[in-house]
Amino acid sequence: MNDARLLRTLRNAAAAALMLLPTALPAATAPLVSADWLGAHRDDVTVIETAKDPALFDGVGHIAGAVFVPYGDIAVERETDDGPVDYLVPDAGAFTALMRDAGVDAGGTVVIAPAGTRVAGDMTVAARLYWALRYYGHDDVAVLDGGAAAWAAAGGGTADSPAGLPGDGDFAARLARPGIRVSTADVADVLENGGATLVDNRPLTQYTGLAGKDYVDGLGHLPGARPVPFDLFSVSRDGIHYWRDGEAVRRILAAMDVGEDQPVIAYCNSGHVSSMAWFAISEIGGRDDTALYDGSLHAWTRSADRRAMLRP
């Protein structure tokens, strides 16, 4: 894919998505909803809690009636041209089954709730599930700002454990949207021909090559990538983690020299924490020309030639 085609793909994704939406947009199509909003609409939505560790909910409780979807079900191993790669979005069939088990209907509103007690492994996972739903064509989805912790603080009903999976949804994954997910081949094309700005959403110690992850075969960052750590997009109030607003997101991008003249591709080690950056940049910051590199450096470093391109 050359740079002109990539530019058109990313910038036209929003227009294609709008064609799929109903004329009257439901209220929950805002990317973020508050605990008060959820309280007023609780009977009209499906609430899905998610996190890397279910124990994150122990201190705040589960939203009454909410089901729980593990991170491991939304970041899976799949076969690629480089062999098996972990942490990828499930295929359409597996994702359809997962959402049906969770009780998601094709025309239903979904609210995704992290625990609200952490950024990594919590807010990041909620953003990952939101991205996956959008990728498979479900637009009536929102993230609960502050998660279950904000819900409990607002006086919402809680339970000691999540509800059982109802298994009665009629969700069906629709045609995948390439404009919000890019592949290793797409990123390689950008490095050769330009056409997009890469943003590295890992901690700076990993960006600079001072640290790494055992599932990434190499240290450093992709050439030309701008450092934009994922946790810049959160703010803590009274021990609850919330999202920064659109103005703050745009200030962060400007400070990190991420211009508006070309699309953005967010990456990390696997596509996990960069899901949070994608959500902030695209859904809160209004940059609908933003895509997520699914698999990220874990996928990139499957090749020795690509490993050699990493920069400290």
Side-chain angles (χ1 to χ4, degrees), residues 1-4 6-7 186 188-197 262:
M1 183 182 294
N2 61 35
D3 57 341
L6 180 66
L7 184 68
D186 294 327
D189 184 77
V190 167
L191 292 180
E192 181 177 355
N193 300 307
T197 299
Q262 57 184 1

Side-chain angles (χ1 to χ4, degrees), residues 5 68 80 106 117 129 135-136 138 150 162 165 169 261 264 276:
R5 287 177 59 199
F68 183 84
T80 73
T117 56
L129 179 53
Y135 176 65
Y136 280 124
H138 195 92
L165 295 173
D261 58 328
V264 173
M276 180 170 176

Side-chain angles (χ1 to χ4, degrees), residues 74-101:
I74 58 175
V76 303
E77 181 182 287
R78 291 176 63 177
E79 193 65 32
T80 73
D81 291 342
D82 294 314
V85 171
D86 288 324
Y87 315 116
L88 299 178
V89 66
D91 64 31
F95 192 73
T96 292
L98 180 66
M99 292 297 98
R100 287 183 176 182
D101 282 349

Side-chain angles (χ1 to χ4, degrees), residues 20-83:
L20 297 173
L21 293 175
T23 302
L25 294 177
T29 52
L32 283 176
V33 294
S34 67
D36 288 341
W37 184 97
L38 180 59
H41 298 83
R42 181 64 190 90
D43 294 338
D44 304 318
V45 304
T46 298
V47 178
I48 300 177
E49 295 178 332
T50 191
K52 266 197 166 183
D53 183 359
L56 292 179
F57 289 86
D58 289 352
V60 297
H62 295 268
I63 296 171
V67 299
F68 183 84
V69 170
Y71 171 71
D73 287 350
I74 58 175
V76 303
E77 181 182 287
R78 291 176 63 177
E79 193 65 32
T80 73
D81 291 342
D82 294 314

